Each structure stands twice: as C-alpha cells, then as structure tokens.
Amino acid sequence: MKNRFIYIICLPALLCCFSANAQKVLQIERYGRAKTTKIHLGEEITYRLKGEAAWHTRAMEDINVEQGLVVAPDRYIKIAEIEALRYNRTWPRAVGKQMFWLGAGWSLYGVIGNLADGDPDTNYRWGDAAVTGTAWGLSLLLPKVFKYKKIKLGERRRLRAVDINFSPLN
C-alpha cells in the first residue's frame, strides 16, 4: 500500500520534469475535412514553386514554424511559395506487373492447351495474341501515365507547418 502511494505521487512529478520530444510536421489540409496528410522531417518532398514550371525534390531537414520555412540541405523554402506537391504512386507499377503476367500466362496456357489437347481444330488464335498484346501494352503504359499524384495548393487545400510540443513548462 505504501509503495503504491509513492508511485502515485512520484510518477506525475517525474513526468512534469521531463519534456517529450517535439515533432515538427508539414500538414496538407483540405477545406471541410478533419483528416490531414502529414509529412515528417527527413522525408523527401517534390514541390513546384509559384511561377515556375520545374519540379524540385528535396529532403526536409527542419521546419521553422515561426517564419514558415522548410529547411532543405541547400536552401530555405517558403511554405507560402509552394504551389503544388507531387507524390509517386505505387499502384500503377504493381498493376503493370500483374498485367504483364496476365498476358504471359494467357499466351502460355493458350500454347500449352493447343499442344496438349490433341484436337487439330483448336489452335492459338489472333484473339489470344490480342489479349496478350493489350495486356503487355497496358503494363508499359499504366506506370507512365499514372506515375504521379499532383496536389495543387490553393483555395481548397493548404500547406501548414505544425510544431507539436509536449513540454509542460512552456
């Protein structure tokens, strides 16, 4: 009983003395939605500045919340000057691989079925070749067409720097 009392008194006192690490993030907010997308320190961001056509990719080393700056290894980026963000999508590459193997499997089973059934009326048809060609064409086209997801910042979306500090003494 005495030990529990000591733990109940001492534990909150110790927790108040030590601060937890702060967390700085960039947050993509959508108007009317509570759900946000967070970009943490150390992650690479691909962005386009206002008035430029080129995309830049930099790793975030730090975020200066007061001045609204993202610190990259070779430059400071004003958050207000970022016009759009771009992310690599992973699903087109995975679907492209599956489409390739669909075409290969279709042809392989078509040829094996033709050779194994012993029926001279069945053969590998142009329709089988068309399915294979279409699947292989889509497997090459999908990753190129749907490679990036672009997020335009403006009236519906905004980028905000957030500093989450858990220090009780601040």
Side-chain angles (χ1 to χ4, degrees), residues 106-157:
W106 191 280
S107 282
L108 181 69
Y109 287 126
V111 169
I112 290 174
N114 182 28
L115 295 175
D117 70 351
D119 187 7
D121 294 335
T122 60
N123 54 6
Y124 189 78
R125 299 184 195 128
W126 283 106
D128 296 328
V131 169
T132 301
T134 303
W136 283 353
L138 285 174
S139 73
L140 295 173
L141 189 65
L142 272 176
K144 291 185 187 331
V145 172
F146 297 106
K147 187 173 185 176
Y148 299 113
K149 177 181 181 182
K150 296 175 188 169
I151 299 174
K152 292 182 182 177
L153 304 173
E155 61 183 60
R156 300 285 302 164
R157 289 187 174 109

Side-chain angles (χ1 to χ4, degrees), residues 19-82:
S19 65
N21 291 332
Q23 194 175 32
K24 295 180 183 178
V25 295
L26 278 179
Q27 197 167 266
I28 303 170
E29 299 173 339
R30 286 180 61 185
Y31 178 74
R33 303 263 170 115
K35 184 179 176 184
T36 61
T37 304
K38 292 181 175 61
I39 306 168
H40 298 277
L41 291 179
E43 291 184 28
E44 282 191 346
I45 58 170
T46 303
Y47 61 93
R48 185 175 65 208
L49 296 174
K50 291 180 181 174
E52 290 186 13
W55 290 92
H56 308 282
T57 301
R58 302 281 188 277
M60 293 191 319
E61 289 185 350
D62 195 17
I63 298 172
N64 188 333
V65 178
E66 292 82 23
Q67 295 179 356
L69 296 173
V70 174
V71 179
D74 59 343
R75 67 190 313 184
Y76 293 101
I77 307 156
K78 289 184 180 180
I79 294 172
E81 294 295 317
I82 296 175

